[in-house]
C-alpha cells in the first residue's frame, strides 16, 4: 500500500507507471479514484460525528455524576475488585509410616521424599506403607 501511494503521489513515478495506458483507461481510473475519495470523506465525517457524540455523552454522564455527588474514583473502586487467589488444597496422603519410637510420618508422594521415606524406598519397602 505504501508503494502504491508513493507512485500515486509522485508525478514522475505516476507518469512512468501509466506510460502505456490509454486515455479511456486513465479516465476510468480517475472516476474510480473520485468514487473512492467520496466514500473516504463520508467515512471520515461519520467517524468525526461518532467521536463528537461520544464526547457529548461523556460530558452528560460527568454532569449527572456531579449532580449525584459521585466521582470517577467511586466507580473505579466498584470495578476494581481483586479476584480472589485460589489456594491450593492439601494433597491426599499417599504414604504413612510409624517408626520405632511411635512417631507417625506422612507424605503425599509429591516432591522430594522425606528421609524416612527415602530410606524405605531404598530398601524397597515404600509400597508396603501406601495408604
Amino acid at each position: 500500500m505504501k508503494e502504491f501511494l508513493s507512485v500515486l503521489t509522485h508525478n514522475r513515478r505516476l507518469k512512468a507507471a501509466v506510460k502505456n495506458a490509454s486515455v479511456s483507461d486513465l479516465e476510468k481510473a480517475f472516476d474510480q479514484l473520485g468514487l473512492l475519495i467520496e466514500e473516504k470523506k463520508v467515512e471520515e465525517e461519520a467517524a468525526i460525528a461518532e467521536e463528537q457524540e461520544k464526547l457529548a455523552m461523556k460530558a452528560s454522564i460527568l454532569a449527572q455524576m456531579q449532580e449525584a455527588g459521585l466521582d470517577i474514583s467511586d466507580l473505579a473502586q466498584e470495578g476494581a475488585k481483586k479476584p480472589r487467589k485460589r489456594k491450593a488444597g492439601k494433597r491426599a496422603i499417599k504414604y504413612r509410616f510409624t517408626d520405632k519410637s511411635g512417631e507417625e510420618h506422612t507424605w503425599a508422594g509429591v516432591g522430594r521424599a522425606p528421609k524416612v521415606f527415602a530410606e524405605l524406598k531404598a530398601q524397597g519397602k515404600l509400597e508396603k506403607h501406601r495408604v
Side-chain angles (χ1 to χ4, degrees):
M1 183 67 175
K2 192 174 182 180
E3 180 67 24
F4 177 70
L5 288 175
S6 175
V7 170
L8 278 179
T9 56
H10 291 88
N11 195 25
R12 282 190 227 144
R13 292 182 77 186
L14 184 59
K15 279 184 182 180
V18 298
K19 182 175 162 182
N20 296 327
S22 67
V23 173
S24 64
D25 288 340
L26 289 175
E27 286 176 344
K28 190 186 272 186
F30 179 75
D31 291 340
Q32 289 294 322
L33 277 173
L35 291 173
L36 289 173
I37 289 170
E38 289 303 315
E39 285 179 16
K40 198 68 162 172
K41 283 182 181 178
V42 169
E43 287 176 9
E44 286 180 359
E45 289 170 359
I48 289 170
E50 185 179 333
E51 187 63 30
Q52 288 175 345
E53 284 180 31
K54 283 183 180 180
L55 289 174
M57 185 65 73
K58 184 178 174 181
S60 170
I61 291 171
L62 286 173
Q64 289 176 359
M65 286 176 59
Q66 287 176 348
E67 288 174 11
L70 294 174
D71 191 40
I72 291 176
S73 61
D74 295 331
L75 297 177
Q77 291 171 356
E78 291 296 319
K81 291 182 180 175
K82 293 182 181 178
R84 285 188 261 165
K85 289 187 178 179
R86 196 171 142 198
K87 291 184 179 178
K90 285 197 166 194
R91 295 186 185 260
I93 296 171
K94 289 187 181 179
Y95 301 99
R96 180 169 301 176
F97 175 70
T98 306
D99 61 12
K100 293 178 182 175
S101 64
E103 189 176 342
E104 185 176 72
H105 301 276
T106 59
W107 180 43
V110 178
R112 187 172 174 189
K115 286 183 181 180
V116 173
F117 293 104
E119 290 171 5
L120 287 172
K121 188 176 182 181
Q123 296 169 6
K125 298 178 181 178
L126 182 62
E127 287 304 314
K128 284 185 189 178
H129 300 285
R130 186 178 264 280
V131 176

